[in-house]
Structures are given as structure tokens and as C-alpha cells.
Amino acid sequence: MKDGGIVNTVQNADPALRTVAKVVTDVPKQDGILDYAIPETLRGKIRPGSLVAVPVANDFLQGVVADCASRSSIQSLKEIICLIDEEPVLTAAQLQLARILSERTLTPLNICVNTLLPEKIRRCSYAEYRVIGAPAVLDDSAQPDLFNGEMRETLPLRDRMLIFIRDSERENGAPVSEDTLRKAFPEPARKTTLSRLVNAGVLERTLRFGRPILRKKTIRTLFLSDAGRSLSETAILGTSRDPEIQARRVNFIARLRADRRGIPVPAAIETGVLTDHDLNVFRKRGWIEIVEVESIREVRSALPNLYPSADELVLNPAQAAALAAIQADLRRGETGAPILIRGVAGSGKTEIYLRAAAEALARGKQVLMLVPEIALTPQIVIRFRERFPGLVGVYHSKLSAGQRFDAWRRGRERSLKIVIGTRSAFAVPLPDLGLILMDECHDDSYYQTEGRPFFSAGPLAVEYAKISGATVVFGSATPTVAQRFKAEQSGWTMLELPNRAGAAKAPRTTVVDMRGELRVGNRSIFSRGLVDALTRTLDQGRQAILFMNRRGAAAYVFCSECGMSFSCPNCDVNLTLHSATEKLSCHFCGYKTAMPEVCPGCGSAAISRFSAGIETVEAITRETFPAARLLRLDAESVEKKGSMEEILTKFANREADILIGTRMVSKGLDFPDVAVVGVILAEVGGGLQDFRVEEQIFQLMTQVIGRAGRGNQAGQAIIQTYQPDRYSLRAAVSNDYDAFYRTELAYRRRLGYPPFTRLARILIRNSDSERAAAESFRIAEKIRSVLRGKRAIRMIGPAPCFYTRLNGCYRWQVLLRGVRIAEALKGFDFGHARFEMDPVSVL
């Protein structure tokens, strides 16, 4: 490559002699795969999975080598510029996984490769600017006052930028980078202004290649030198006559002798155990050395470890049998059928995961432990780190870039043996992967809905295990109907844990028909039975959890005079009142507005509120139990980083009596002193027209009930409902998964829903309602022509979605039911519509 961005090309008359890399880039055409010649200096170093820099048009981009070949159909190839990382950033298994993901989700390969990278492949170029014209504003002699700091701020952005670039060139003798200008001028018009100045011939823009650098974090650390190790106390005392200084220096040298890991300089200075003057004295005498030592950016947790040690835990027969089955699979050293553990809440699934991980580590393998949500990581991380100190890393999207990079790099280097994370943890390269554990495998959070590719982590984990020769274990108290059906039909190993582990017993569950409460005049959101149970719990000094599946204080705010409801202007949903701010909020797009004093429709002040949300539950709880210490766990209370862990730590440390929460309290939390769990209204969300709604109610209620009585003392769950006859609720209360499964399976067989068929969804969104409808009919007609003659696939729609308008967009959908849907639509151009295979919701 020549300076200034001109790229050499390789001319080779004999294509058979050319060494070629097929590189996945962020270019939209042809899955982003482009052919490049491998320079002589890089041959033998570039492999599939390598991260390289390549020229594309007049720019420089990162790319991942998908494959290497001896020839290309292109006669004149550009060369790879450089190898960015000496080691591949994707393992061979991850590359194969990206290809499978691409095929099954009809998503370009480059997008799927990005999903398995810690950071997306991106540009590795930067622009520099220098002044080449002679605008009047740069004439110092003509307008000297303009270069005064105060006067300069009054100038237009164009002139301020020109002066800044000119002054910077004079000072540094070099053009000004785009990054420097972005920091100096954060205004949105910056880019447009620069383009206009370049087009006007006032500025020259040059594109440069900037090699991306992946860095470890290091910290200056103090160690004793050879002279320092043989140092006498007399010599240290001789460095000062002040007794206080003498004592401090003697103590510090003693600490360095005791700590072979060294002491970080910042920590020593900040804590006052050493001063800058002490440091200079020691260095001049040659007693200490300062070494740059890697500092691992790990996720730390303040949650206490409430679990007994491995030596104190004795597996019951069901646990022992489940562990033996997993260990036998690991010992075979090759992928067998997936293993599905169905264990009631508190049955000790995590202990099985821990012992299975120990077996994998003993065989020199690495472990990937998947959890559905970030909220579930702290308690599991504590248990794994206690059992495997120094070998466990955490990876999820809410970590800092440095924390993700350290976990990613250490997994690739094999220094991390266990990685715990959400579905994004597939991005961590694990060369020796031998075991994949997927906790709470039923959870919808495992399905990626935020952006392409739209996929579920469960099937991907199965494919990853096949490719890697690993064992894959799914665990849940409530596996989905589709998961159990798949396990039965495909010969998976199914393991049962029917009882709680240790001395813990299943909680006594009571259903309260709230219609009966109304008949006796109780209009509170708390039934008499729940109030009595909470009173006993507080008197005994134990804890309780209250669950309400709705955020905010009131779900429906309306005018009782004219009936006008207050809806989101962007979405076809009612706004929810939040009492802390007295604002109405949309939980879909984030729109907020002040609570109106009068109706904008008729001018009446009769503004009414209907239904209860989590904030209402909190307010009434405070009123009913004024002496109780309360904590709330919902989306609003955990907006600040670290706030969720802070809330859970307080509850674990018994600094609160009652934890009130939404779905966040329904799963994964294990607090042994919770005596009572109360569900305020079991059927919230049960009116939605989704074929999985009964399954979701069953799963949610089962998980919530499972939070009670997890220690050695009995627990109780009280379920309040206006619909006590729902079969999903009856099955959850009686802890009868098999009864629910049979009923739900019969319902789906009758209507032809999954798992008896596959389901796909094409979602069309547009800010204009007519365009959304027109586009959906256009796509439907194209799909109809593609599927003509394929009777195994049925099309439903197009039709508006249940939530017709969200985030300012009107939503239409086309549903497909049948087999081999992705295969039939391979190569289909969906345009801006999104294709979802096996969607978790069709609302």
C-alpha cells in the first residue's frame, strides 16, 4: 500500500499459484465475502478466523478470514494490508456456527460473524484534514480580534473549525485527525460542515490506515529488588529521623516481603501506606522495582455466599443419577444426544452443573455456562468462583469494553476454564470446549429480538456442541412444550429431579379467589390470607417476596367524564403512571409526559386511574406494614449501573423484610430465609392473543412459587387470582408439569401450532400506515409465488399485529406454518422486513 491510501494490486498470470483469503467484511453485497491476495510476508500466518485489515474501494476495513484458497475467479486481487491479531479471533467451531446461523435465519454471513465477535468488524481508517485554501477568516492581520478566545466563540461553526485546524497544524506540524475534531466540535453539523469545506477546496481530506490495537490493562506494581530482599531494618530506619516515617517505611517493606504478587503503586499511594517521597527514597537506593503487571478487569460481586461448601452437600439419589449420566457422556469424549434436566425449583440443578463442570475441567476441557439474563449472573458466579477460584470469567453485553475483552482474551488463551454469560457469550473463543450448560432453558430471553440474526440460543447451543464434540445440558423446572417434545421425539437423555435438595420442602401453595374477597367487602389488592401470612412472617423475623407482573402505579389512566384514555402518540398502547415522577410512560418506546390536571378532550378534572402496578403494590405495602423494611426490584429501580446487585445484596444481608418486584424476582434468586411469596394478580398478561400465553403463565407462576422455602424451614406461596380455573394456573399450583404438558400439547396439536409444525414470521414496519399495509401485501404476494406448489407450508395473513403501532411504526405481519421454511425462502429478498424463525411471540 502506498502512502495516502493508494493500494497496490497483485498481478499474477497463473491463478493456481496465488494464495487467496476469502474475507468476511462489513460490505452488504454477497454476504460481505471478498477475495484478497495473501502477501508473501503473511503466508502461513493467516488462517480461517484471523482478523485482518483489507482495502475496500477507497477505505480500509477489518475483516475475518472465512477460508483460504489457492485460486480466485478474480484476475487482479488487492492484498491484505496486515494481520491485526496474531491468533484467530474465531475458532473453527465458531466459524462453522456462523455459517449454520446464516442458513437457518436467512441472514448474511457477515452479520452472523459479527454476532460471534466481541466487537463488530468495522473501519480501520481515519481521516485527516489540513487547510489548503486561503479563507478571509484565517487572515490574522486583517481581523486580529477574531483570534481572541471570547470572540472566537461567536463565530459560525465553519470559521471556528478552520481556525482550530490551522492553529493545530501550526502547533503540531501535522494535519488534524477526525477524532480530534469530533472531540473539539461535538455539534451534529460537524460532518456536513467538513464535507462542504472539502468540496469548496478549502480543506484537504486524506484517508489513513490506523492499525487497531487490542490492549491488556496493566498497572505499575512495586516489587522488592534483590537488594531490597536482603535489606536490614537498620538500613530502613536510617532513611529518616522521624519515627512516624520510619515506622511507615519498615511496615511497607515488610508488606512487600509478604506479598509476592507485588503492590500496585496507585493503591499504595491512595491508601496512605506509602508517599511519593518514600517511593523516591526506595528507588534511589535500588531497593524496589516498578513493573507493569496485567490487571484483569473482572466483574466483582458484593453478594454474600449463602451456600454450603461442596463437602457439606450430599446429593440425593435423583441428583446422583443425573450427575452420573452427564459424567458418562463427558467420558465418552464425543457429542451424544443433548441432556434435558427437568428439576423442580430448589432441586439442586446448580450443584449438578458445578460437579459436571469439575468433570469437564478434569478432562482438560472448557465450560460455557449460559444464563438467560444478566440479572441471574451474580449468584451463579459466586458459586462457580467459590468452587473454581481464578478459573471463572463473566461475559455479557452490559460489561465495559475492557471487561469483555479480558474475558474474551483469557477464554481464547485457555486461562479461563469456565465462562458464564448470556447468549452473547457465544462470542468467547473456547478452543477446548467440552461442556455447555444452559440454565433456565425455557426462558424467552434466550431469543435474540434486538437485531439480526433473530435466533434462539438453545438450538444454537446444540449445533455448537455437535461441532465442538461437547456435551450440552439444558436445565429448567419448566422446559417449554417444544423443548420436551423435541427431547421425546429426538432421543434426548431426559433426567428428572422431582424433589428439592437437602432438607428443603416444596412450599405449601394456596390459591385465593379474589372474587370471594370482593363479595365480603375486601377491595384491597391484598387478600386477608396474604395479609395474615405476611404478618406472621414479619413477626417471626423472616422475609417475603411480593410479585406483580406490571410496572408503574396505574396501567390505565382515563377521563371518567368523556372516557378519553391517555395513549402513547407513538404506540397503540395505554400509558402507565409512575408515582415517583407523576409522569405517564410508554413501556415500549420510552415516551414520557406529565400527568394531566384536566382532560385535553373535554376539560374535566375527573381523571381516573384503573388497575395496580408495582409502585401501587409498594405504596399499599408500606401503608399496611409500616414497620417493614421494603425493597423494590423492577426496571425503574435498577436503571443505574450496579443498582440491581445493590438491592439483592441488601436483601441477602437481611437489610430488608419484603422484596417487591416484577419478573426480575421470579427466577434464579435463591434466598434461604424467604418464608412467603405472594402473587398479587396471577393472570396479568393472560388476555393476550398469543398461542403460548398459557405456557407463559404456567412457567411464571411455577418459577415465582419456587422462590419460597428454599432453606431448611417450610415456605408458603399465596396466589391471588380472578381466574382460578385456568388449567395453566391449576397445574402450577399443584406443581404438575406433566398434566400441563399433556393439556397444552393436545391444544397445539388440535390447532396445528408448534411443536407440530415450524412457525416463521415476517414483520413489516413503516411510519405510514398505508405504506406498511401495501408493503406487507407486496411481500406476501412474492412469498406466495415462491411457495407455489409447496403444500407443506401455509401462509397466514398479511394482517396487522396485536400491537399495531410501536415506536412510531405501524406493524403488519405474515405468518408461515410448515416445514423447511428457511430452505424454501433461501435467497428471498425481504427488503426492510425482518424474518424470524420460531419467534417467541407473534404479538
Side-chain angles (χ1 to χ4, degrees), residues 30 165 182 215 281 445 448 580 613 633 723 762 823 826:
Q30 298 174 338
I165 294 169
R182 181 168 52 250
R215 288 194 180 97
V281 168
S445 298
Q448 177 162 301
L633 187 64
Q723 300 173 353
I762 297 95
E823 183 181 320
K826 188 175 182 180

Side-chain angles (χ1 to χ4, degrees), residues 549-563:
N549 192 26
R550 179 174 284 154
R551 294 152 59 188
Y556 184 45
V557 180
F558 63 99
C559 173
S560 58
E561 287 289 332
C562 70

Side-chain angles (χ1 to χ4, degrees), residues 575-587:
L575 295 172
T576 298
L577 175 65
H578 289 264
S579 57
T581 58
E582 273 298 300
K583 286 190 174 183
L584 294 168
S585 300
C586 174
H587 291 163

Side-chain angles (χ1 to χ4, degrees), residues 565-583:
S565 63
F566 299 101
S567 302
C568 175
N570 304 316
C571 310
D572 282 341
V573 294
N574 293 321
L575 295 172
T576 298
L577 175 65
H578 289 264
S579 57
T581 58
E582 273 298 300
K583 286 190 174 183

